């Protein structure tokens, strides 16, 4: 696309552990370029590798656009406090400089970006349900309080990790009682137990503990598939997960709060049993809250960058 030299441009990035996405846009919100690279979160990767991936996504979004034309850049990243480490911050500053970005680069938490990707309202709540689970209170487009997000050991109830853990736990309980495993239990056993195992129970415990705990999140699709097959154990897990997620959001807001709730993360899509149960639970317990689903995080980051240009 041919751009006027007078066009004011902004760059937004959504940086995660598995992928980094970038959007080049103008102040009207028109997307002019997009880029993608591997994970660039320094909490998950060495700083040099992380910075390399972030700038690779930015470079692809820029295309033929001269980097010095960018008026503002916003980067959304979980665990943004990692950049308070002077060594890590220096690596990223050098990467931006090497790319030719000379404008201010602001890194914000992923909750702010997700909220902006769902609504233009200044205040409300963002509820993220993916591998982990966390809620954030947004005031004037910035996050000032959080609830949840404690990680697999201390919480993350309602997350994909929690769903996977509950799938294994309820399967073990069914084995202890001698109950039929049902669709969910059979799926868990097929995923974690070798057919040659002498004791399914022992092999299941061993298999579930063989990898990093967070890997239990990969079992979450077994729960949602089992719900589609009307497995009562899976239906109960999803119901409890939705309750936990709303409990987390309600930590930050009252039942009569009229500010919007923005849903984000892999579990909240319409048609996902968790997302559907979550909407029902929110309608019952936060009846006055408009519900929105976040769009692409990089677009939310670009919107925040454009807002910063318009209202310095």
């Amino acid at each position: 696309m041919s751009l006027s030299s007078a066009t004011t441009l902004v760059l937004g990035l959504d940086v995660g552990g598995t992928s980094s996405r970038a959007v080049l846009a103008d102040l009207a919100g028109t997307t002019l370029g997009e880029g993608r690279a591997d994970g660039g979160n320094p909490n998950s990767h060495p700083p040099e590798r992380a910075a390399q991936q972030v700038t690779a996504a930015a470079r692809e979004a820029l295309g033929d656009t001269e980097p010095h034309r960018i008026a503002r850049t916003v980067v959304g990243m979980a665990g943004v406090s990692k950049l308070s480490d002077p060594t890590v911050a220096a690596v990223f500053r050098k990467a931006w400089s090497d790319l030719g970005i000379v404008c201010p680069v602001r890194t914000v938490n992923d909750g702010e970006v997700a909220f902006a990707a769902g609504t233009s309202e200044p205040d409300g709540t963002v509820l993220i349900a993916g591998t982990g689970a966390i809620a954030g209170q947004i005031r004037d487009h910035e996050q000032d309080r959080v609830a949840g997000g404690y990680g697999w050991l201390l919480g993350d109830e309602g997350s994909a990790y929690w769903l996977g853990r509950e799938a294994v736990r309820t399967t073990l309980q069914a084995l202890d009682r001698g109950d039929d495993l049902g669709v969910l239990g059979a799926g868990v056993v097929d995923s974690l137990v070798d057919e040659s195992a002498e004791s399914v129970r022992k092999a299941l415990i061993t298999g579930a503990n063989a990898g990093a705990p967070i890997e239990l999140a990969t079992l979450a699709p077994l729960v949602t598939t089992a719900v589609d097959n009307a497995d009562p154990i899976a239906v109960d897990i999803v119901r409890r997960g939705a309750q936990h997620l709303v409990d987390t959001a309600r930590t930050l807001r009252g039942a009569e709060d009229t500010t919007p709730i923005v849903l984000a993360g892999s579990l909240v899509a319409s048609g996902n049993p968790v997302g559907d149960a979550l909407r029902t639970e929110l309608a019952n317990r936060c009846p006055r809250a408009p519900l929105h689903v976040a769009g692409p995080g990089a677009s939310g980051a670009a919107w925040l960058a454009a807002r910063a240009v318009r209202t310095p």
Side-chain angles (χ1 to χ4, degrees):
M1 179 180 293
S2 177
L3 298 175
S4 164
S5 60
T7 303
T8 300
L9 305 177
V10 293
L11 184 65
L13 293 101
D14 181 26
V15 177
T18 58
S19 68
S20 303
R21 299 178 185 274
V23 164
L24 174 69
D26 61 21
L27 296 190
T30 303
T31 296
L32 305 171
E34 297 180 87
R36 185 187 183 284
D38 290 339
N41 194 314
N43 292 283
S44 307
H45 305 280
E48 291 78 9
R49 173 65 177 171
Q52 180 184 45
Q53 294 306 315
V54 170
T55 53
R59 186 178 296 107
E60 182 177 348
L62 287 169
D64 295 332
T65 301
E66 292 294 332
H68 66 80
R69 294 187 55 196
I70 306 302
R72 191 67 59 99
T73 297
V74 170
V75 182
M77 180 186 296
V80 66
S81 60
K82 183 72 172 180
L83 289 178
S84 63
D85 181 326
T87 301
V88 177
V91 170
F92 274 80
R93 281 197 303 271
K94 183 178 186 302
W96 290 120
S97 177
D98 290 347
L99 181 60
I101 297 290
V102 296
C103 69
V105 178
R106 179 175 176 237
T107 305
V108 303
N109 64 71
D110 55 342
E112 291 180 26
V113 163
F115 188 80
T119 179
S120 61
E121 292 294 318
D123 306 324
T125 305
V126 59
L127 178 58
I128 302 175
T131 301
I134 190 171
Q137 183 183 64
I138 305 297
R139 291 289 179 263
D140 194 22
H141 303 288
E142 295 185 5
Q143 184 169 280
D144 65 352
R145 291 176 61 204
V146 295
Y150 303 149
W152 67 266
L153 180 62
L154 300 176
D156 278 356
E157 292 89 350
S159 67
Y161 161 76
W162 182 89
L163 292 175
R165 192 202 68 178
E166 289 300 290
V168 176
R169 190 178 66 84
T170 56
T171 300
L172 287 167
Q173 290 172 340
L175 288 169
D176 289 348
R177 293 190 302 264
D179 291 348
D180 180 81
L181 294 183
V183 174
L184 177 59
V188 170
V189 170
D190 286 344
S191 296
L192 296 177
V193 177
D194 189 276
E195 292 181 358
S196 63
E198 294 183 7
S199 169
V200 172
R201 183 182 186 277
K202 290 182 179 179
L204 181 54
I205 294 171
T206 299
N209 286 283
I214 199 65
E215 292 178 10
L216 290 177
T218 63
L219 300 178
L222 297 178
V223 179
T224 55
T225 298
V227 169
D228 292 337
N229 287 279
D231 183 297
I233 300 299
V235 170
D236 181 65
I237 290 173
V238 166
R239 177 188 61 80
R240 290 188 288 115
Q243 290 175 340
H244 284 310
L245 290 169
V246 177
D247 287 344
T248 302
R250 282 290 305 275
T251 302
L252 302 174
R253 59 186 292 131
E256 299 304 308
D257 193 332
T258 60
T259 61
I261 297 174
V262 173
L263 305 178
S266 59
L267 296 179
V268 306
S270 179
N272 184 305
V274 177
D276 293 342
L278 178 58
R279 286 170 178 78
T280 298
E281 190 74 11
L282 284 168
N284 290 333
R285 295 173 59 190
C286 301
R288 302 186 65 189
L291 293 182
H292 304 278
V293 176
S299 296
W303 186 89
L304 289 173
R307 178 180 178 275
V309 173
R310 292 192 300 265
T311 56

